[in-house]
Amino acid sequence: RLLGWAVSQAVTSFGLFGYPLTLGAIHLSPWLELRPARLRLRLYVEDFSLSNPPSLDCPHRHFVSAGAVDFLLTIDLHWAKELLRTGRLQPVPIHFEHSSVRRVK
């Protein structure tokens, strides 16, 4: 829950300009595949909500909320090879392979 709170505060402050994002517990399961070189992450978040902007004066507090969301991400690691070879950082390809919403609120 501490990680969820910390990420919520950081994203709300720096990424969403004060519009509240709430994350409960965050479960992160990373694993590395060597051929092809890629990092895979399973991200499971409990008690997710993104609030409506206060200026909209909406009757509903949250734009979207769910009891749990589940993502599977794949990050191609060939960018690291290019960084070491050329010294220039290229865009990092991230693929959302799977997403699901569970326990919709």
Side-chain angles (χ1 to χ4, degrees), residues 94-105:
I94 300 174
H95 305 279
F96 285 84
E97 290 190 29
H98 170 79
S99 62
S100 66
V101 178
R102 300 175 188 188
R103 300 185 320 223
V104 176
K105 288 183 172 180

Side-chain angles (χ1 to χ4, degrees), residues 71-93:
F71 297 102
L72 177 60
L73 305 153
T74 300
I75 302 168
D76 186 349
L77 296 178
H78 284 95
W79 64 270
K81 182 179 176 182
E82 287 296 312
L83 176 64
L84 293 172
R85 189 175 66 81
T86 65
R88 285 183 270 151
L89 182 62
Q90 302 293 323
V92 178

